[in-house]
Amino acid sequence: MIKGEFAVPSLDALADEVAAVLAGRRDPGVVPFERVLNAVVSHDFRDRDALAAALGSVPREFKVKPHAQVRCIAGVVGAAVGPVRAEEPWENTRAGWLELCQHVALDYVAGARADEVAARLRAGDPVPFLLSVPSRPTGAVEPYELVERLAEYERLGVRPGPADLGQALLRCGGRVDPEAVRAADGLGLAEGPRVAAWLRQGGLPRPTWWREREAGEAERPSRRRGARIGRRILVGHEAIEGRGAFPRQFWSLFRVFEPAISCPHWSLPDYRDAHTVATLPWHPEIAAARLLTGVASAADQDGCGSPAFLEALARADGPAGPAVHLAVAYGLAAVPEPEREAAGRALVVLASRGRLDGELLGRELTELVGLGTLRVPLLTESLRAAVGVPEGAGAVWAVLATALPGLLARTRPQVHGALLAVAADSARLSGARGELPEVTALAQRPGSSQLLRQARRLRDALAGV
């Protein structure tokens, strides 16, 4: 039923993978994490005693605080190898749950599923596999595969878990599959009509977005902390319909999101990773918008970077809008080098998949530089690196064609020479043609400075000389 890289491994292979993840020898990326989680559930359904024997000796103690997904695997393994407590109903998982922060709404979804999985294991109410196992590394679930899994649940007389089904539905999206809708209509499960209606509408509705600039003027760099406190641009969205059919822990995702709200969570890097994007792969905008403040902190303060998050946003299945482009903009001028490198890769991936809006990203970069939030030397360094990879030159020029006039007007002349050199390289390598009046005027000035030489190189490249 579950195939490819998410297929259930043998017990010995599962024990080795669990031990490697819990010991920190293997990164719990989306594919290994989802495979392990589903494999524990599947082997528990087949033979709980054999699973307990295979995993019982795997250490589950940590010297340092582990990654959230490592903690999740440790908890699920503990529930699988422990005694069955059938008197504890798993349906009341997180009965006293309290929403604390809308920034981590997608973490609430993932947490609800993990809690439900562990509760079912403890209660001795096994399932043959998880409905929400991805079909792709992005986290997306193919609609027809979900219907096939539900049909197998129906055949075996297994009840779908509300959080597992909810996560599976959030992972379905894109173009409507009429065959999958018809198959869902034919399910005998009580959840059949809801699944069919969800697939018929193409998954979670896309919310209405708005763009919001922080109030006030940019402040000078802090001498005490060496931080730049600029004015950020953030993104919010209106409420999304349909929350009532989902568990209570999912509801924060459906609420109006106001980007200026503050909380203690936004700077924590645990929430900014590929798993967050994989929770809602057809809506990278929602993940980007809710965690944009943390991404920005790596550019205008001394915050932690989120390289895996930026790349996952670029590789997601859904469209890239203002929040995703702003995340890439902050990343391109972030202080941590790994963040800048990841943002450059994200830029190229967006372009290669036809999801890059060069004009949008160019405008955002220009405004953020003008607000004092981004530094041009760091931005130039990131773009120079991106030019050197396949398809990178075209992506960089798509951005600079819009951004360059504004950057030349709003920044110090000392940084223009390096920026124009990157622009000239990207235009030449991508075969761009046209004219930028600001560059032409600069190129016509007398002199032989680097600034003027690079302006002439760019002018000539755009003229095909």
Side-chain angles (χ1 to χ4, degrees):
M1 185 61 66
I2 310 298
K3 303 175 183 178
E5 54 197 331
F6 295 98
V8 176
S10 67
L11 271 176
D12 289 341
L14 174 61
D16 290 343
E17 191 161 14
V18 168
V21 169
L22 296 187
R25 299 193 304 270
R26 184 171 301 171
D27 177 49
V30 172
V31 172
F33 171 75
E34 295 286 348
R35 179 174 58 239
V36 167
L37 194 65
N38 181 64
V40 171
V41 168
S42 183
H43 280 294
D44 177 79
F45 184 83
R46 299 173 187 176
D47 189 338
R48 185 183 180 99
D49 291 339
L51 176 67
L55 299 183
S57 61
V58 175
R60 297 192 298 278
E61 296 180 358
F62 310 102
K63 294 181 180 179
V64 296
K65 184 179 178 182
H67 190 278
Q69 275 62 44
V70 177
R71 296 196 301 271
C72 175
I73 289 175
V76 168
V77 168
V81 303
V84 172
R85 299 196 292 267
E87 70 280 359
E88 295 187 9
W90 61 267
E91 295 92 334
N92 293 330
T93 302
R94 284 199 176 187
W97 179 82
L98 176 66
E99 177 188 302
L100 296 176
C101 172
Q102 283 190 285
H103 290 104
V104 293
L106 292 174
D107 185 67
Y108 294 153
V109 172
R113 182 183 64 149
D115 286 351
E116 182 180 272
V117 169
R120 292 194 83 155
L121 291 170
R122 286 193 298 268
D125 188 1
V127 296
F129 43 77
L130 294 177
L131 298 170
S132 55
V133 180
S135 306
R136 312 177 198 168
T138 59
V141 172
E142 296 294 345
Y144 203 89
E145 289 187 27
L146 173 58
V147 177
E148 285 183 330
R149 295 170 191 176
L150 286 166
E152 183 67 6
Y153 268 43
E154 181 181 344
R155 187 185 71 80
L156 296 171
V158 176
R159 293 175 299 165
D164 184 30
L165 176 59
Q167 171 66 101
L169 291 175
L170 291 180
R171 284 177 163 171
C172 288
R175 187 169 51 85
V176 175
D177 182 347
E179 290 296 324
V181 174
R182 280 193 289 271
D185 279 325
L187 290 171
L189 291 170
E191 293 82 3
R194 174 193 173 197
V195 172
W198 183 266
L199 299 181
R200 189 176 290 112
Q201 73 178 18
L204 186 72
R206 302 201 182 281
T208 301
W209 300 95
W210 76 81
R211 182 176 171 277
E212 183 173 313
R213 193 188 111 179
E214 288 182 334
E217 298 301 322
E219 301 175 13
R220 293 182 178 276
S222 167
R223 292 182 179 178
R224 179 174 64 85
R225 298 180 61 210
R228 293 177 59 82
I229 311 299
R231 292 281 76 91
R232 298 167 179 165
I233 301 171
L234 303 174
V235 175
H237 69 75
E238 299 291 352
I240 306 172
E241 295 184 0
R243 75 178 190 182
F246 289 84
R248 177 67 177 77
Q249 298 95 311
F250 286 51
W251 286 12
S252 180
L253 173 66
F254 291 81
R255 299 186 192 281
V256 173
F257 174 64
E258 300 178 67
I261 58 177
S262 61
C263 73
H265 291 99
W266 60 262
S267 63
L268 299 181
D270 254 12
Y271 301 107
R272 302 196 307 273
D273 59 19
H275 296 275
T276 305
V277 182
T279 301
L280 200 59
W282 290 98
H283 292 266
E285 279 293 290
I286 292 179
R290 289 172 182 262
L291 297 172
L292 200 53
T293 306
V295 176
S297 72
D300 67 355
Q301 296 184 36
D302 54 359
C304 297
S306 46
F309 181 66
L310 292 177
E311 291 195 66
L313 290 175
R315 298 184 189 281
D317 298 279
V324 170
H325 283 79
L326 277 168
V328 174
Y330 289 122
L332 287 171
V335 175
E337 185 176 357
E339 182 89 343
R340 296 198 303 275
E341 293 174 348
R345 290 191 294 271
L347 171 67
V348 176
V349 169
L350 286 172
S352 67
R353 300 183 64 190
R355 299 170 64 228
L356 174 67
D357 186 335
E359 292 186 8
L360 172 61
L361 182 53
R363 290 195 302 270
E364 300 293 16
L365 288 172
T366 301
E367 185 167 355
L368 288 169
V369 167
L371 291 172
T373 309
L374 303 186
R375 284 180 276 186
V376 175
L378 292 177
L379 172 62
T380 302
E381 182 181 321
S382 298
L383 295 178
R384 181 186 296 114
V387 169
V389 303
E391 300 187 58
V396 171
W397 178 250
V399 175
L400 286 181
T402 296
L404 198 56
L407 293 177
L408 292 175
R410 299 188 186 194
T411 54
R412 296 176 295 109
Q414 292 90 324
V415 302
H416 292 171
L419 184 64
L420 284 169
V422 173
D425 289 341
S426 65
R428 177 179 58 83
L429 292 171
S430 64
R433 295 291 183 268
E435 182 186 11
L436 293 179
E438 296 83 358
V439 173
T440 300
L442 194 58
Q444 291 173 345
R445 288 167 49 181
S448 58
S449 65
Q450 181 195 19
L451 170 65
L452 299 180
R453 290 199 309 271
Q454 298 303 332
R456 290 164 191 153
R457 280 188 64 223
L458 177 55
R459 178 200 60 190
D460 294 345
L462 293 175
V465 176

